Amino acid sequence: MSGPGPCCVDPGAKQSHTVQGTEETTGGLKTYKTGEGKSAIVIFTDIFGFSFINTRKIADTFAQSTGTTVLVPDLFEGDSLDPNASRSELLEKLPTWLPKHPVDKACLAIDKYISTIKGHYDSIQVIGYCYGAKLVVYLIIHPELSSTVKAGAVAHPTFLVNEEAEQIKRPILFQCAEVDERFPPDMRQHFEKTLSPTGLATFIDYPGTIHGFVIRPGDSPETIQQRDKAVQDAIQFFKKNL
C-alpha cells in the first residue's frame, strides 16, 4: 500500500478564491458546506485538509455546476498540514504527522459521517484526492456502505491496494496523472483489467501531469488546463450519476 510521500507535500501554485459556503459540524466533524441541492457530493481531502482554499474552490465549483450540496469534512480534526509551510518543513513533519492520522481511523470517521447524512439527501456521491481517495474506495467496497453511496471518483489516489479492485461495487471514476508513484502503472493496469468486465470504472488520463495536479497544480498553462479538464470531467460524472 503506497501512502503519502514527497510528491504529496507540494502545495502547488498559490490560488485565490472567495468562498461561497459556510462551516458547520456534521457527524462529529467540522465541515465546509456549499450549495443547497437535494443530492450531496462529499469531498475527502488530501493532507492539506478541508480549509485549503484550493479544495474549497473546487467544492464551490461542484456545487454551482451540479446543483448539489457539497460537503468537505475535516478528516484531521484541525491538524491538517499547512499549505503555506515550506517544502522542507512539510517533508520533516510528514513522518510524524501520518501516524497520528492513520487511514483506518479516517475510514471509521467517515463511516459515521455518511451514516449521519444519508437520511438528509436524495443521493450521495463521493470524491477523494490523494489521501482521501482511500476513503472513497472504502465506502464503495463495503456492502453496508456502498448501498448508501451512489458513485465515487478518485484523483491521483494514495493507499490503494490491488485486492480492492475486485471488491468495488459502484461506478467509479479514476482521474490519473501521467506520472504518479502513489498509483503506479502496474497498479493502475490491475485496477483497469479487473474492473473492465464490470463496466463500473472509467479511467481518464491527463497528459503532462504529476501526482496532486487537480488540487495542487503548478502555474503552467498546460497544467492548469488539465486541472480544469479534470474538474469538468468530475462534474459530468456526478451529473450522470445523480
Side-chain angles (χ1 to χ4, degrees):
M1 180 169 66
S2 189
C7 60
C8 301
V9 301
D10 186 349
K14 285 191 177 294
Q15 298 183 28
S16 60
H17 175 67
T18 301
V19 297
Q20 297 162 19
T22 57
E23 290 186 13
E24 61 179 44
T25 298
T26 301
L29 297 177
K30 188 177 284 188
T31 296
Y32 178 69
K33 179 180 180 181
T34 180
E36 298 181 348
K38 293 182 179 180
S39 295
I41 295 168
V42 183
I43 296 176
F44 300 126
T45 70
D46 63 9
I47 60 179
F48 294 112
F50 92 123
S51 61
F52 190 23
I53 194 65
N54 300 20
T55 302
R56 293 192 175 191
K57 182 177 182 179
I58 287 180
D60 288 339
T61 302
F62 285 167
Q64 291 173 351
S65 299
T66 63
T68 63
T69 297
V70 179
L71 305 169
V72 190
D74 178 11
L75 303 173
F76 312 121
E77 300 178 281
D79 189 37
S80 56
L81 291 179
D82 180 4
N84 295 311
S86 69
R87 179 178 171 82
S88 60
E89 288 176 313
L90 291 167
L91 284 171
E92 184 179 346
K93 288 180 179 179
L94 188 62
T96 55
W97 182 88
L98 275 174
K100 293 190 294 182
H101 301 285
V103 71
D104 291 347
K105 178 183 176 183
C107 286
L108 291 175
I110 60 102
D111 189 335
K112 175 184 175 183
Y113 191 86
I114 294 297
S115 297
T116 300
I117 69 170
K118 67 180 181 180
H120 300 280
Y121 298 100
D122 291 347
S123 67
I124 298 172
Q125 298 185 72
V126 292
I127 185 168
Y129 299 97
C130 189
Y131 182 110
K134 180 69 171 185
L135 309 186
V136 170
V137 174
Y138 168 78
L139 287 172
I140 64 175
I141 68 176
H142 286 78
E144 67 277 15
L145 297 171
S146 63
S147 60
T148 301
V149 176
K150 198 166 184 183
V154 297
H156 35 81
T158 300
F159 287 123
L160 301 192
V161 294
N162 285 341
E163 291 76 15
E164 291 167 326
E166 58 263 24
Q167 301 176 60
I168 288 174
K169 298 174 171 62
R170 284 287 181 265
I172 183 169
L173 170 66
F174 287 83
Q175 299 189 298
C176 306
E178 181 174 341
V179 177
D180 192 345
E181 61 192 61
R182 305 296 107 187
F183 190 55
D186 58 340
M187 179 178 286
R188 184 257 172 85
Q189 290 163 11
H190 175 81
F191 270 77
E192 194 162 11
K193 181 179 179 181
T194 303
L195 287 165
S196 180
T198 71
L200 290 172
T202 301
F203 291 80
I204 302 179
D205 295 301
Y206 298 89
T209 61
I210 61 174
H211 181 86
F213 79 97
V214 182
I215 294 292
R216 302 174 275 113
D219 56 6
S220 75
E222 295 80 11
T223 302
I224 297 299
Q225 182 182 37
Q226 292 299 320
R227 186 277 313 273
D228 290 346
K229 181 179 184 301
V231 171
Q232 291 303 314
D233 288 340
I235 287 168
Q236 294 307 311
F237 176 79
F238 291 139
K239 286 182 174 180
K240 178 182 176 182
N241 289 288
L242 280 174

